[in-house]
Amino acid sequence: MKSFSAKISKIGINPYVPLPLLVLNKLFIESGKNKGPIPVQGTLNGKKFLQTLVKYSGEWRLYLNTPMRKAAGIDVGDMPSVTIKFDPGPYSIPIHPKLTNSLTQNKRAAAAFKKLTAYRRKEIVRYLNFLKTEQSVDRNVEKIILHLSCKEPLQKNITPYKDKNYP
């Protein structure tokens, strides 16, 4: 685990700390890559976090979301103590049982779900897992199945464009 301190800056609305080159190189070695997102774990002023390092506008940054900053009692302009290391995972999110059951019952929707990008599947699963009521889960599982089954258009009241040169 590497330690450093850095001033919290902001890009757009996103607070972050830049990583020292030595720390960054150590993370590249630990993760076996220097491209794409790199999952990390560590502490901010002694408070644990899990996060993903990303490269944006040519620089690697550790973005600090609101729960991370609140737990550590820090904000933009502060200079927290940071410890960080590569986090090998695993990072799987369990599929909500109601979605699993619905996909089992609807082969067409299941096939369409499998064809989605991994990111899109993860976002659907994550969304369902964070819903607070069973009614919301039921309603959203139904919408997802209808959409995957091509029984519900993405947008309503849209007339398809008809070109004279095509049937």
Side-chain angles (χ1 to χ4, degrees):
M1 182 132 358
K2 292 286 186 181
S3 299
F4 66 96
S5 290
K7 185 176 179 181
I8 301 173
S9 298
K10 202 173 190 181
I11 195 165
I13 61 168
N14 302 304
Y16 72 93
V17 291
L19 280 84
L21 191 55
L22 290 174
V23 172
L24 195 54
N25 285 332
K26 173 78 171 163
L27 290 168
F28 291 158
I29 292 167
E30 290 175 354
S31 66
K33 64 180 188 173
N34 62 2
K35 293 181 181 181
I38 299 175
V40 294
Q41 60 178 288
T43 62
L44 283 170
N45 286 349
K47 301 298 181 181
K48 292 183 179 182
F49 70 83
L50 291 175
Q51 187 58 288
T52 304
L53 289 182
V54 292
K55 189 174 186 179
Y56 178 74
S57 291
E59 292 186 40
W60 286 90
R61 296 177 169 91
L62 174 64
Y63 286 95
L64 309 177
N65 60 36
T66 301
M68 289 169 67
R69 292 190 324 274
K70 283 187 177 181
I74 55 176
D75 209 346
V76 175
D78 293 341
M79 200 148 168
S81 170
V82 181
T83 63
I84 193 166
K85 71 177 185 175
F86 172 64
D87 186 6
Y91 286 102
S92 61
I93 302 171
I95 296 178
H96 196 286
K98 289 186 177 186
L99 180 59
T100 300
N101 184 40
S102 294
L103 290 171
T104 302
Q105 294 176 11
N106 187 321
K107 301 298 180 200
R108 184 175 183 178
F113 187 74
K114 285 181 183 178
K115 288 181 182 178
L116 294 174
T117 65
Y119 177 78
R120 184 70 175 137
R121 286 191 308 267
K122 181 174 84 173
E123 286 302 308
I124 289 170
V125 169
R126 183 183 296 161
Y127 176 77
L128 284 176
N129 287 342
F130 283 106
L131 292 174
K132 294 180 181 177
T133 67
E134 288 303 309
Q135 294 86 0
S136 293
V137 172
D138 292 342
R139 185 174 55 251
N140 282 279
V141 166
E142 184 178 336
K143 286 180 182 180
I144 291 165
I145 296 299
L146 286 172
H147 174 70
L148 291 171
S149 301
C150 299
K151 293 180 181 175
E152 182 177 276
L154 290 174
Q155 296 177 337
K156 296 179 181 178
N157 302 326
I158 293 181
T159 306
Y161 174 73
K162 299 225 179 193
D163 188 327
K164 296 184 231 180
N165 300 323
Y166 296 97

